[in-house]
PDB file of all heavy atoms in Angstrom:
ATOM      1  N   SER A   2      68.382 127.122  94.970  1.00  0.00           N
ATOM      2  CA  SER A   2      67.850 126.038  94.159  1.00  0.00           C
ATOM      3  C   SER A   2      67.335 126.615  92.841  1.00  0.00           C
ATOM      4  O   SER A   2      66.509 127.527  92.829  1.00  0.00           O
ATOM      5  CB  SER A   2      66.724 125.343  94.908  1.00  0.00           C
ATOM      6  OG  SER A   2      66.158 124.350  94.101  1.00  0.00           O
ATOM      7  N   PRO A   7      58.587 120.720  88.190  1.00  0.00           N
ATOM      8  CA  PRO A   7      58.180 120.586  86.786  1.00  0.00           C
ATOM      9  C   PRO A   7      56.741 121.048  86.602  1.00  0.00           C
ATOM     10  O   PRO A   7      55.910 120.927  87.506  1.00  0.00           O
ATOM     11  CB  PRO A   7      58.325 119.093  86.500  1.00  0.00           C
ATOM     12  CG  PRO A   7      58.227 118.448  87.822  1.00  0.00           C
ATOM     13  CD  PRO A   7      58.764 119.420  88.830  1.00  0.00           C
ATOM     14  N   GLY A  30      65.757 134.418  89.511  1.00  0.00           N
ATOM     15  CA  GLY A  30      67.076 134.986  89.287  1.00  0.00           C
ATOM     16  C   GLY A  30      67.986 134.117  88.452  1.00  0.00           C
ATOM     17  O   GLY A  30      69.138 134.492  88.193  1.00  0.00           O
ATOM     18  N   ALA A  43      70.510 117.128  87.470  1.00  0.00           N
ATOM     19  CA  ALA A  43      69.405 116.469  88.167  1.00  0.00           C
ATOM     20  C   ALA A  43      68.890 115.238  87.436  1.00  0.00           C
ATOM     21  O   ALA A  43      68.542 114.235  88.066  1.00  0.00           O
ATOM     22  CB  ALA A  43      68.262 117.459  88.379  1.00  0.00           C
ATOM     23  N   GLY A  45      70.377 113.834  84.316  1.00  0.00           N
ATOM     24  CA  GLY A  45      71.350 113.078  83.534  1.00  0.00           C
ATOM     25  C   GLY A  45      71.055 113.048  82.047  1.00  0.00           C
ATOM     26  O   GLY A  45      71.274 112.031  81.391  1.00  0.00           O
ATOM     27  N   VAL A  56      56.213 134.636  83.685  1.00  0.00           N
ATOM     28  CA  VAL A  56      54.762 134.527  83.616  1.00  0.00           C
ATOM     29  C   VAL A  56      54.177 135.567  84.551  1.00  0.00           C
ATOM     30  O   VAL A  56      54.520 135.622  85.732  1.00  0.00           O
ATOM     31  CB  VAL A  56      54.301 133.112  84.017  1.00  0.00           C
ATOM     32  CG1 VAL A  56      52.797 132.999  83.981  1.00  0.00           C
ATOM     33  CG2 VAL A  56      54.936 132.084  83.106  1.00  0.00           C
ATOM     34  N   THR A  62      38.709 139.753  90.189  1.00  0.00           N
ATOM     35  CA  THR A  62      37.807 140.550  91.018  1.00  0.00           C
ATOM     36  C   THR A  62      36.557 139.733  91.303  1.00  0.00           C
ATOM     37  O   THR A  62      36.001 139.111  90.397  1.00  0.00           O
ATOM     38  CB  THR A  62      37.416 141.852  90.288  1.00  0.00           C
ATOM     39  OG1 THR A  62      38.599 142.555  89.931  1.00  0.00           O
ATOM     40  CG2 THR A  62      36.563 142.738  91.162  1.00  0.00           C
ATOM     41  N   THR A  65      31.026 140.278  96.110  1.00  0.00           N
ATOM     42  CA  THR A  65      30.412 139.530  97.198  1.00  0.00           C
ATOM     43  C   THR A  65      29.429 140.423  97.946  1.00  0.00           C
ATOM     44  O   THR A  65      29.281 141.604  97.641  1.00  0.00           O
ATOM     45  CB  THR A  65      31.489 139.013  98.172  1.00  0.00           C
ATOM     46  OG1 THR A  65      32.155 140.132  98.746  1.00  0.00           O
ATOM     47  CG2 THR A  65      32.495 138.143  97.451  1.00  0.00           C
ATOM     48  N   LYS A  66      28.795 139.843  98.960  1.00  0.00           N
ATOM     49  CA  LYS A  66      27.862 140.617  99.783  1.00  0.00           C
ATOM     50  C   LYS A  66      28.563 141.771 100.486  1.00  0.00           C
ATOM     51  O   LYS A  66      28.004 142.844 100.667  1.00  0.00           O
ATOM     52  CB  LYS A  66      27.228 139.721 100.839  1.00  0.00           C
ATOM     53  CG  LYS A  66      26.247 138.732 100.316  1.00  0.00           C
ATOM     54  CD  LYS A  66      25.664 137.993 101.497  1.00  0.00           C
ATOM     55  CE  LYS A  66      24.938 136.756 101.055  1.00  0.00           C
ATOM     56  NZ  LYS A  66      24.420 135.985 102.190  1.00  0.00           N
ATOM     57  N   THR A  71      39.437 142.139  95.456  1.00  0.00           N
ATOM     58  CA  THR A  71      40.406 141.937  94.387  1.00  0.00           C
ATOM     59  C   THR A  71      41.545 141.077  94.901  1.00  0.00           C
ATOM     60  O   THR A  71      41.866 141.076  96.088  1.00  0.00           O
ATOM     61  CB  THR A  71      40.966 143.274  93.873  1.00  0.00           C
ATOM     62  OG1 THR A  71      41.603 143.940  94.955  1.00  0.00           O
ATOM     63  CG2 THR A  71      39.877 144.145  93.307  1.00  0.00           C
ATOM     64  N   GLY A  72      42.156 140.344  93.998  1.00  0.00           N
ATOM     65  CA  GLY A  72      43.279 139.493  94.358  1.00  0.00           C
ATOM     66  C   GLY A  72      44.139 139.221  93.144  1.00  0.00           C
ATOM     67  O   GLY A  72      43.796 139.584  92.016  1.00  0.00           O
ATOM     68  N   LYS A  73      45.281 138.592  93.392  1.00  0.00           N
ATOM     69  CA  LYS A  73      46.147 138.212  92.278  1.00  0.00           C
ATOM     70  C   LYS A  73      46.947 136.980  92.640  1.00  0.00           C
ATOM     71  O   LYS A  73      47.160 136.681  93.813  1.00  0.00           O
ATOM     72  CB  LYS A  73      47.069 139.353  91.876  1.00  0.00           C
ATOM     73  CG  LYS A  73      48.145 139.692  92.861  1.00  0.00           C
ATOM     74  CD  LYS A  73      49.099 140.699  92.271  1.00  0.00           C
ATOM     75  CE  LYS A  73      50.324 140.781  93.158  1.00  0.00           C
ATOM     76  NZ  LYS A  73      51.430 141.405  92.515  1.00  0.00           N
ATOM     77  N   ASP A  91      61.744 111.215  83.149  1.00  0.00           N
ATOM     78  CA  ASP A  91      60.568 110.558  83.677  1.00  0.00           C
ATOM     79  C   ASP A  91      60.227 111.185  85.030  1.00  0.00           C
ATOM     80  O   ASP A  91      60.951 111.004  86.008  1.00  0.00           O
ATOM     81  CB  ASP A  91      60.822 109.058  83.844  1.00  0.00           C
ATOM     82  CG  ASP A  91      59.580 108.302  84.210  1.00  0.00           C
ATOM     83  OD1 ASP A  91      58.472 108.853  84.072  1.00  0.00           O
ATOM     84  OD2 ASP A  91      59.703 107.142  84.657  1.00  0.00           O
TER      85      ASP A  91
END
Side-chain angles (χ1 to χ4, degrees):
S2 177
V56 179
T62 304
T65 62
K66 289 183 194 177
T71 60
K73 70 172 192 164
D91 188 15

